[in-house]
PDB file of all heavy atoms in Angstrom:
ATOM      1  N   HIS A  32      10.848  10.139  -1.438  1.00 34.00           N
ATOM      2  CA  HIS A  32      10.873   9.541  -0.136  1.00 34.00           C
ATOM      3  C   HIS A  32      11.173  10.568   0.949  1.00 34.00           C
ATOM      4  O   HIS A  32      10.950  10.269   2.117  1.00 34.00           O
ATOM      5  CB  HIS A  32      11.947   8.503  -0.090  1.00 34.00           C
ATOM      6  CG  HIS A  32      11.574   7.202  -0.683  1.00 34.00           C
ATOM      7  ND1 HIS A  32      11.184   7.020  -1.969  1.00 34.00           N
ATOM      8  CD2 HIS A  32      11.524   5.984  -0.128  1.00 34.00           C
ATOM      9  CE1 HIS A  32      10.995   5.738  -2.199  1.00 34.00           C
ATOM     10  NE2 HIS A  32      11.211   5.108  -1.073  1.00 34.00           N
ATOM     11  N   SER A  33      11.652  11.445   0.613  1.00 33.00           N
ATOM     12  CA  SER A  33      12.030  12.355   1.674  1.00 33.00           C
ATOM     13  C   SER A  33      10.909  13.289   2.006  1.00 33.00           C
ATOM     14  O   SER A  33      10.268  13.815   1.120  1.00 33.00           O
ATOM     15  CB  SER A  33      13.274  13.143   1.292  1.00 33.00           C
ATOM     16  OG  SER A  33      13.006  13.942   0.159  1.00 33.00           O
ATOM     17  N   CYS A  34      10.650  13.485   3.295  1.00 36.00           N
ATOM     18  CA  CYS A  34       9.599  14.373   3.758  1.00 36.00           C
ATOM     19  C   CYS A  34      10.047  15.025   5.058  1.00 36.00           C
ATOM     20  O   CYS A  34      10.896  14.517   5.750  1.00 36.00           O
ATOM     21  CB  CYS A  34       8.298  13.623   4.011  1.00 36.00           C
ATOM     22  SG  CYS A  34       7.749  12.597   2.676  1.00 36.00           S
ATOM     23  N   ASP A  35       9.450  16.174   5.396  1.00 38.00           N
ATOM     24  CA  ASP A  35       9.735  16.790   6.665  1.00 38.00           C
ATOM     25  C   ASP A  35       9.179  15.933   7.787  1.00 38.00           C
ATOM     26  O   ASP A  35       8.065  15.445   7.699  1.00 38.00           O
ATOM     27  CB  ASP A  35       9.082  18.178   6.742  1.00 38.00           C
ATOM     28  CG  ASP A  35       9.734  19.142   5.763  1.00 38.00           C
ATOM     29  OD1 ASP A  35      10.896  18.917   5.397  1.00 38.00           O
ATOM     30  OD2 ASP A  35       9.074  20.096   5.370  1.00 38.00           O
ATOM     31  N   HIS A  37       7.915  15.455  11.812  1.00 37.00           N
ATOM     32  CA  HIS A  37       7.119  16.291  12.711  1.00 37.00           C
ATOM     33  C   HIS A  37       7.344  15.891  14.159  1.00 37.00           C
ATOM     34  O   HIS A  37       7.506  14.693  14.472  1.00 37.00           O
ATOM     35  CB  HIS A  37       5.621  16.157  12.358  1.00 37.00           C
ATOM     36  CG  HIS A  37       5.301  16.722  11.028  1.00 37.00           C
ATOM     37  ND1 HIS A  37       4.747  17.953  10.845  1.00 37.00           N
ATOM     38  CD2 HIS A  37       5.482  16.201   9.782  1.00 37.00           C
ATOM     39  CE1 HIS A  37       4.582  18.170   9.542  1.00 37.00           C
ATOM     40  NE2 HIS A  37       5.018  17.133   8.888  1.00 37.00           N
ATOM     41  N   ALA A  63      -2.958  12.034   8.235  1.00 95.00           N
ATOM     42  CA  ALA A  63      -3.254  12.038   6.809  1.00 95.00           C
ATOM     43  C   ALA A  63      -2.086  11.444   6.037  1.00 95.00           C
ATOM     44  O   ALA A  63      -0.914  11.739   6.302  1.00 95.00           O
ATOM     45  CB  ALA A  63      -3.515  13.456   6.328  1.00 95.00           C
ATOM     46  N   LEU A  64      -2.405  10.597   5.049  1.00 96.00           N
ATOM     47  CA  LEU A  64      -1.404   9.971   4.191  1.00 96.00           C
ATOM     48  C   LEU A  64      -1.605  10.442   2.747  1.00 96.00           C
ATOM     49  O   LEU A  64      -2.709  10.727   2.325  1.00 96.00           O
ATOM     50  CB  LEU A  64      -1.510   8.451   4.253  1.00 96.00           C
ATOM     51  CG  LEU A  64      -1.484   7.796   5.637  1.00 96.00           C
ATOM     52  CD1 LEU A  64      -1.662   6.283   5.500  1.00 96.00           C
ATOM     53  CD2 LEU A  64      -0.178   8.122   6.348  1.00 96.00           C
ATOM     54  N   GLY A  65      -0.514  10.493   1.998  1.00 97.00           N
ATOM     55  CA  GLY A  65      -0.584  10.883   0.606  1.00 97.00           C
ATOM     56  C   GLY A  65       0.802  11.208   0.079  1.00 97.00           C
ATOM     57  O   GLY A  65       1.787  11.155   0.824  1.00 97.00           O
ATOM     58  N   PRO A  66       0.937  11.545  -1.212  1.00 97.00           N
ATOM     59  CA  PRO A  66       2.234  11.829  -1.789  1.00 97.00           C
ATOM     60  C   PRO A  66       2.928  13.040  -1.179  1.00 97.00           C
ATOM     61  O   PRO A  66       4.140  13.188  -1.322  1.00 97.00           O
ATOM     62  CB  PRO A  66       1.921  12.037  -3.278  1.00 97.00           C
ATOM     63  CG  PRO A  66       0.468  12.370  -3.327  1.00 97.00           C
ATOM     64  CD  PRO A  66      -0.150  11.611  -2.205  1.00 97.00           C
ATOM     65  N   GLU A  67       2.176  13.887  -0.475  1.00 96.00           N
ATOM     66  CA  GLU A  67       2.779  15.051   0.179  1.00 96.00           C
ATOM     67  C   GLU A  67       3.646  14.658   1.372  1.00 96.00           C
ATOM     68  O   GLU A  67       4.542  15.420   1.766  1.00 96.00           O
ATOM     69  CB  GLU A  67       1.695  16.015   0.643  1.00 96.00           C
ATOM     70  CG  GLU A  67       0.795  16.557  -0.454  1.00 96.00           C
ATOM     71  CD  GLU A  67      -0.352  15.621  -0.781  1.00 96.00           C
ATOM     72  OE1 GLU A  67      -0.458  14.564  -0.115  1.00 96.00           O
ATOM     73  OE2 GLU A  67      -1.111  15.924  -1.726  1.00 96.00           O
ATOM     74  N   VAL A  68       3.399  13.492   1.952  1.00 96.00           N
ATOM     75  CA  VAL A  68       4.126  13.074   3.147  1.00 96.00           C
ATOM     76  C   VAL A  68       4.895  11.777   2.977  1.00 96.00           C
ATOM     77  O   VAL A  68       5.504  11.290   3.923  1.00 96.00           O
ATOM     78  CB  VAL A  68       3.168  12.954   4.345  1.00 96.00           C
ATOM     79  CG1 VAL A  68       2.530  14.286   4.670  1.00 96.00           C
ATOM     80  CG2 VAL A  68       2.127  11.879   4.129  1.00 96.00           C
ATOM     81  N   GLY A  69       4.877  11.211   1.789  1.00 97.00           N
ATOM     82  CA  GLY A  69       5.600   9.954   1.608  1.00 97.00           C
ATOM     83  C   GLY A  69       5.390   9.329   0.258  1.00 97.00           C
ATOM     84  O   GLY A  69       4.930   9.995  -0.686  1.00 97.00           O
ATOM     85  N   SER A  70       5.687   8.053   0.157  1.00 98.00           N
ATOM     86  CA  SER A  70       5.612   7.385  -1.137  1.00 98.00           C
ATOM     87  C   SER A  70       5.195   5.923  -0.993  1.00 98.00           C
ATOM     88  O   SER A  70       5.389   5.293   0.068  1.00 98.00           O
ATOM     89  CB  SER A  70       6.970   7.441  -1.849  1.00 98.00           C
ATOM     90  OG  SER A  70       7.943   6.717  -1.113  1.00 98.00           O
ATOM     91  N   THR A  93       1.222   8.818  -8.310  1.00 98.00           N
ATOM     92  CA  THR A  93       1.339  10.237  -7.979  1.00 98.00           C
ATOM     93  C   THR A  93       0.062  10.765  -7.324  1.00 98.00           C
ATOM     94  O   THR A  93       0.055  11.851  -6.774  1.00 98.00           O
ATOM     95  CB  THR A  93       1.621  11.055  -9.246  1.00 98.00           C
ATOM     96  OG1 THR A  93       0.577  10.839 -10.216  1.00 98.00           O
ATOM     97  CG2 THR A  93       2.951  10.635  -9.866  1.00 98.00           C
ATOM     98  N   ARG A  94      -1.029   9.959  -7.395  1.00 98.00           N
ATOM     99  CA  ARG A  94      -2.289  10.357  -6.763  1.00 98.00           C
ATOM    100  C   ARG A  94      -2.742   9.194  -5.862  1.00 98.00           C
ATOM    101  O   ARG A  94      -3.119   8.135  -6.350  1.00 98.00           O
ATOM    102  CB  ARG A  94      -3.362  10.684  -7.802  1.00 98.00           C
ATOM    103  CG  ARG A  94      -3.047  11.889  -8.638  1.00 98.00           C
ATOM    104  CD  ARG A  94      -4.238  12.307  -9.515  1.00 98.00           C
ATOM    105  NE  ARG A  94      -4.655  11.258 -10.431  1.00 98.00           N
ATOM    106  CZ  ARG A  94      -4.122  11.059 -11.629  1.00 98.00           C
ATOM    107  NH1 ARG A  94      -3.145  11.819 -12.070  1.00 98.00           N
ATOM    108  NH2 ARG A  94      -4.581  10.076 -12.417  1.00 98.00           N
ATOM    109  N   TRP A  95      -2.658   9.416  -4.583  1.00 98.00           N
ATOM    110  CA  TRP A  95      -3.137   8.438  -3.616  1.00 98.00           C
ATOM    111  C   TRP A  95      -3.376   9.162  -2.288  1.00 98.00           C
ATOM    112  O   TRP A  95      -2.858  10.254  -2.062  1.00 98.00           O
ATOM    113  CB  TRP A  95      -2.161   7.281  -3.409  1.00 98.00           C
ATOM    114  CG  TRP A  95      -0.840   7.660  -2.809  1.00 98.00           C
ATOM    115  CD1 TRP A  95       0.251   8.190  -3.449  1.00 98.00           C
ATOM    116  CD2 TRP A  95      -0.445   7.495  -1.432  1.00 98.00           C
ATOM    117  NE1 TRP A  95       1.282   8.409  -2.566  1.00 98.00           N
ATOM    118  CE2 TRP A  95       0.889   7.964  -1.322  1.00 98.00           C
ATOM    119  CE3 TRP A  95      -1.097   7.012  -0.300  1.00 98.00           C
ATOM    120  CZ2 TRP A  95       1.584   7.952  -0.126  1.00 98.00           C
ATOM    121  CZ3 TRP A  95      -0.405   7.004   0.894  1.00 98.00           C
ATOM    122  CH2 TRP A  95       0.916   7.470   0.966  1.00 98.00           C
ATOM    123  N   ARG A  96      -4.190   8.576  -1.447  1.00 97.00           N
ATOM    124  CA  ARG A  96      -4.499   9.196  -0.156  1.00 97.00           C
ATOM    125  C   ARG A  96      -4.884   8.114   0.830  1.00 97.00           C
ATOM    126  O   ARG A  96      -5.280   7.007   0.454  1.00 97.00           O
ATOM    127  CB  ARG A  96      -5.641  10.203  -0.299  1.00 97.00           C
ATOM    128  CG  ARG A  96      -6.957   9.602  -0.743  1.00 97.00           C
ATOM    129  CD  ARG A  96      -7.998  10.680  -0.933  1.00 97.00           C
ATOM    130  NE  ARG A  96      -9.272  10.131  -1.376  1.00 97.00           N
ATOM    131  CZ  ARG A  96     -10.356  10.847  -1.662  1.00 97.00           C
ATOM    132  NH1 ARG A  96     -10.312  12.166  -1.534  1.00 97.00           N
ATOM    133  NH2 ARG A  96     -11.475  10.267  -2.052  1.00 97.00           N
ATOM    134  N   GLY A  97      -4.747   8.468   2.101  1.00 97.00           N
ATOM    135  CA  GLY A  97      -5.117   7.524   3.130  1.00 97.00           C
ATOM    136  C   GLY A  97      -5.207   8.172   4.490  1.00 97.00           C
ATOM    137  O   GLY A  97      -4.915   9.360   4.636  1.00 97.00           O
ATOM    138  N   ARG A 195       8.203   8.298  11.317  1.00 92.00           N
ATOM    139  CA  ARG A 195       8.047   7.802   9.951  1.00 92.00           C
ATOM    140  C   ARG A 195       7.721   6.300  10.032  1.00 92.00           C
ATOM    141  O   ARG A 195       8.333   5.548  10.794  1.00 92.00           O
ATOM    142  CB  ARG A 195       9.295   8.002   9.106  1.00 92.00           C
ATOM    143  CG  ARG A 195       9.694   9.450   8.896  1.00 92.00           C
ATOM    144  CD  ARG A 195      10.746   9.581   7.821  1.00 92.00           C
ATOM    145  NE  ARG A 195      10.208   9.226   6.503  1.00 92.00           N
ATOM    146  CZ  ARG A 195       9.556  10.088   5.724  1.00 92.00           C
ATOM    147  NH1 ARG A 195       9.337  11.315   6.129  1.00 92.00           N
ATOM    148  NH2 ARG A 195       9.098   9.711   4.550  1.00 92.00           N
ATOM    149  N   ASP A 230       6.854   4.420   2.599  1.00 98.00           N
ATOM    150  CA  ASP A 230       7.690   5.248   3.467  1.00 98.00           C
ATOM    151  C   ASP A 230       6.913   6.537   3.657  1.00 98.00           C
ATOM    152  O   ASP A 230       6.842   7.360   2.751  1.00 98.00           O
ATOM    153  CB  ASP A 230       9.040   5.483   2.809  1.00 98.00           C
ATOM    154  CG  ASP A 230       9.968   6.337   3.659  1.00 98.00           C
ATOM    155  OD1 ASP A 230       9.522   6.915   4.675  1.00 98.00           O
ATOM    156  OD2 ASP A 230      11.159   6.436   3.305  1.00 98.00           O
ATOM    157  N   VAL A 231       6.317   6.728   4.840  1.00 96.00           N
ATOM    158  CA  VAL A 231       5.466   7.894   5.043  1.00 96.00           C
ATOM    159  C   VAL A 231       5.768   8.557   6.389  1.00 96.00           C
ATOM    160  O   VAL A 231       6.116   7.894   7.370  1.00 96.00           O
ATOM    161  CB  VAL A 231       3.966   7.520   4.994  1.00 96.00           C
ATOM    162  CG1 VAL A 231       3.606   7.009   3.623  1.00 96.00           C
ATOM    163  CG2 VAL A 231       3.609   6.487   6.051  1.00 96.00           C
ATOM    164  N   ALA A 232       5.626   9.878   6.391  1.00 94.00           N
ATOM    165  CA  ALA A 232       5.677  10.637   7.646  1.00 94.00           C
ATOM    166  C   ALA A 232       4.278  10.627   8.256  1.00 94.00           C
ATOM    167  O   ALA A 232       3.288  10.833   7.549  1.00 94.00           O
ATOM    168  CB  ALA A 232       6.145  12.061   7.378  1.00 94.00           C
ATOM    169  N   THR A 234       1.850  12.515   9.732  1.00 75.00           N
ATOM    170  CA  THR A 234       1.522  13.927   9.858  1.00 75.00           C
ATOM    171  C   THR A 234       0.103  14.089  10.346  1.00 75.00           C
ATOM    172  O   THR A 234      -0.835  13.590   9.698  1.00 75.00           O
ATOM    173  CB  THR A 234       1.693  14.640   8.503  1.00 75.00           C
ATOM    174  OG1 THR A 234       3.004  14.433   8.024  1.00 75.00           O
ATOM    175  CG2 THR A 234       1.431  16.140   8.638  1.00 75.00           C
TER     176      THR A 234
END
Side-chain angles (χ1 to χ4, degrees):
H32 279 60
S33 63
C34 309
D35 293 336
H37 294 260
L64 307 177
E67 300 83 3
V68 298
S70 64
T93 58
R94 295 189 300 275
W95 65 279
R96 62 184 180 182
R195 297 192 68 85
D230 180 350
V231 296
T234 304

